[in-house]
Amino acid sequence: MTSTPALTPESFGPATALRCRECGTDYALGAAYSCAECFGPLEVAYNFGTVTREQIAAGPQNMWRYAPLLPVAPWVADEPNLNPGLTKLIKADNLARALGMTGTLWIKDDSGNPTHSFKDRVVAVAQHAARRLGRTTLACASTGNLANAVAAAAARAGQTSVVLIPSNLEAGKTITTATYGGTLLAVEGNYDDVNRLCSELIGESITDTWGFVNVNLRPYYAEGSKSLGFEIAEQLGWRLPDQVVIPVASGSLLTKVDKAWRELTSLGLVDEKEYAVFGAQATGCNPVAQAFREGLEVVRPVKPNTIAKSLAIGNPADGPYALDAARRTHGAIDDVTDVEVVEGIRLLAETEGVFAETAGGVTVAVLRKLLASGALDPAKETVLINTGDGLKTLDAVADVVGPSAIVKPSLESAVDALDTLARSN
């Protein structure tokens, strides 16, 4: 077993401990993810000190500008990594008009990250923790985007990677992960089977030097999602929107955006204001939305059956905390059918030129549903988060889009086709 490098007071920046989210017990920073007292999940606790807007603005043009607010050392940007972050915040006037919204609508488009999803953010923080804790192999259980991010980040840093995915994953995500190199294991089962297998592997000697980014490094990994919330606030001129719509898989992204905004408020980096957090799921895997509708505080596991495979986590670890965030902020969590998911993908592409993967289609379609039900105010400033690139999930729209017409290579044939199309529109 490789020895763990000596940790210094700056190894994890402002992070001070791992704290149980249930009973509040503190543990030393290390490769741990559950409380020994109550088995609750651990998350990073901090002592931030003074952090200013000027300090952040002077940082690098990527997520590491927020290093003073993350569990990372000051020198994190100097280590080989994919340097994700600072993706576009797009003013979506066309989509707003199509949905009948009078307030400003923004799309935070995280498909612009190095492997085209927000998962590059969480992996970057987990990779930093792996280095500090002597973990030389990056590993994960994944529904696809995380597989891409882990394999690519490991390749960039000269590390090995081991990625486990469901065997029925979209071809685009499987092929890209394999292309980055490393070991790729396709498991005959769903994500929950894959995640359970990873948890079991942690007890084997073969994995002594592995850092499972979303298992034994999960407290650090999850904090990477805060950078998305930090960016939205900074890109809006250091203020918070009224409403945000976020896709829900494990529920971690939703809870961490909310945590980011609460931290910015407590540090005086943004003015305190009320905002509403909304979550989006697919009906074929909607345990959190179902619990929200039924007024439950716990989430009952389901067996996923949806084209939105990146959200297909039937037993979401952060589901109860996502429920709490939505209720505390007077938001909601809802779900839409696969047909509506495809409609959401097309609507976003046709109005704003943003081609989202299925998770983005879920988020757009849930936004439309929330507007129709009156749960979301069409006059308030709203941010919609797109987490990934539609080129990864082409199968979702392959049967409903295609050429407008097939013509012969002649002017007459082209003109006839264009005339016919014009008459039909």
Side-chain angles (χ1 to χ4, degrees):
M1 179 175 176
T2 302
S3 61
T4 301
L7 300 179
T8 71
E10 291 185 313
S11 292
F12 291 96
T16 58
L18 297 180
R19 180 167 297 159
C20 178
R21 296 171 80 170
E22 293 296 322
C23 71
T25 301
D26 279 0
Y27 298 87
L29 295 163
Y33 59 99
S34 64
C35 177
E37 300 295 326
C38 71
F39 303 106
L42 303 181
E43 72 171 353
V44 179
Y46 297 92
N47 180 9
F48 289 121
T50 301
V51 181
T52 67
R53 296 178 183 178
E54 292 75 19
Q55 180 183 4
I56 291 170
Q61 295 298 302
N62 52 53
M63 67 177 282
W64 301 130
R65 66 201 286 110
Y66 308 108
L69 301 171
L70 294 169
V72 296
W75 59 84
V76 59
D78 298 328
E79 298 180 336
N81 69 87
L82 296 177
N83 292 318
L86 279 195
T87 55
K88 293 179 180 179
L89 184 69
I90 301 167
K91 193 165 181 283
D93 292 341
N94 296 330
L95 179 59
R97 280 193 294 271
L99 295 173
M101 298 181 71
T102 55
T104 302
L105 176 63
W106 303 91
I107 299 166
K108 179 57 173 171
D109 186 14
D110 244 28
S111 68
N113 277 308
T115 68
H116 309 288
S117 89
F118 86 102
K119 291 295 188 181
D120 289 322
R121 298 176 182 271
V122 292
V123 170
V125 178
Q127 185 176 47
H128 173 275
R131 287 192 177 102
R132 306 285 81 77
L133 300 171
R135 306 295 170 128
T136 55
T137 293
L138 283 188
C140 72
S142 176
T143 57
N145 285 324
L146 181 57
N148 287 180
V150 164
R156 171 75 180 93
Q159 297 172 307
T160 57
S161 64
V162 179
V163 172
L164 285 76
I165 59 172
S167 58
N168 67 346
L169 206 59
E170 299 100 335
K173 293 175 181 176
T174 302
I175 292 169
T176 47
T177 301
T179 302
Y180 289 122
T183 299
L184 177 62
L185 297 182
V187 179
E188 295 177 348
N190 59 33
Y191 173 80
D192 298 297
D193 297 317
V194 175
N195 193 50
R196 173 184 50 77
L197 181 56
C198 283
S199 297
E200 293 171 351
L201 279 170
I202 287 177
E204 299 296 313
S205 60
I206 192 175
T207 66
D208 282 348
T209 59
W210 294 14
F212 287 86
V213 300
N214 54 342
V215 187
N216 59 357
L217 298 179
R218 185 174 181 82
Y220 313 96
Y221 159 93
E223 291 292 287
S225 289
K226 292 196 310 181
S227 65
L228 202 154
F230 296 149
E231 281 178 24
I232 291 171
E234 184 179 5
Q235 290 171 323
L236 288 176
W238 290 109
R239 60 182 178 82
L240 304 181
D242 299 312
Q243 305 170 138
V244 62
V245 188
I246 306 173
V248 172
S250 72
S252 178
L253 176 60
L254 185 150
T255 65
K256 293 304 181 179
V257 169
D258 174 56
K259 184 182 181 184
W261 291 353
R262 286 185 287 123
E263 288 177 350
L264 292 179
T265 301
S266 68
L267 290 167
L269 292 169
V270 298
D271 290 337
E272 185 172 358
K273 69 170 290 184
E274 291 186 357
Y275 57 85
V277 176
F278 296 88
Q281 292 202 296
T283 302
C285 187
N286 65 347
V288 188
Q290 190 171 327
F292 183 88
R293 274 195 298 272
E294 296 176 6
L296 301 176
E297 294 182 1
V298 296
V299 176
R300 292 191 294 261
V302 302
K303 186 175 182 179
N305 181 22
T306 174
I307 61 171
K309 296 184 186 298
S310 62
L311 302 183
I313 297 180
N315 189 17
D318 290 277
Y321 306 106
L323 289 171
D324 174 70
R327 288 169 176 152
R328 175 171 40 78
T329 63
H330 306 291
I333 301 174
D334 214 329
D335 59 272
V336 288
T337 66
D338 283 357
V339 171
E340 291 172 302
V341 172
V342 174
E343 291 173 352
I345 293 172
R346 297 186 67 182
L347 180 61
L348 181 58
E350 291 169 1
T351 56
E352 298 297 343
V354 175
F355 184 20
E357 68 162 4
T358 47
V362 169
T363 312
V364 173
V366 166
L367 169 60
R368 181 162 59 182
K369 185 175 181 180
L370 292 168
L371 287 165
S373 70
L376 190 145
D377 191 335
K380 289 186 175 180
E381 183 177 50
T382 305
V383 174
L384 182 149
I385 296 178
N386 175 46
T387 52
D389 194 325
L391 291 175
K392 296 185 178 187
T393 57
L394 291 173
D395 287 352
V397 294
D399 293 336
V400 295
V401 298
S404 300
I406 298 175
V407 301
K408 292 183 170 64
S410 70
L411 179 61
E412 181 181 6
S413 179
V415 170
D416 286 346
L418 291 170
D419 285 342
T420 299
L421 291 169
R423 288 194 298 273
S424 65
N425 291 333

